[in-house]
């Protein structure tokens, strides 16, 4: 009895996204909301203030430091 094989060209859970396709910078400004969400936090006034301070201290690199 033949078994079907998944299409090799389609997405697969065991494949890894190439580094060349992984990037966080889109050429736009990094917002406090971006930093909060990248940190896995809820969008609350306290977290947004934390993100504003982090951006003021570290600049756009703050987002890069939070992402793997």
């Amino acid at each position: 009895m033949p078994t079907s094989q998944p299409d090799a060209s389609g997405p697969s859970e065991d494949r890894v996204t190439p580094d060349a396709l992984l990037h966080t910078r889109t050429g736009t400004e990094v917002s406090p909301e971006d930093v909060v969400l990248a940190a896995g936090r809820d969008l609350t006034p306290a977290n947004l203030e934390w993100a504003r301070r982090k951006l003021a201290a570290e600049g756009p690199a703050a987002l890069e430091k939070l992402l793997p």
Side-chain angles (χ1 to χ4, degrees), residues 16-48:
V16 177
T17 303
D19 287 343
L21 296 178
L22 296 174
H23 51 83
T24 57
R25 299 298 304 271
T26 62
T28 60
E29 292 293 317
V30 176
S31 71
E33 289 85 0
D34 295 333
V35 175
V36 169
L37 294 174
R41 298 181 178 194
D42 292 328
L43 289 172
T44 64
N47 287 339
L48 288 169

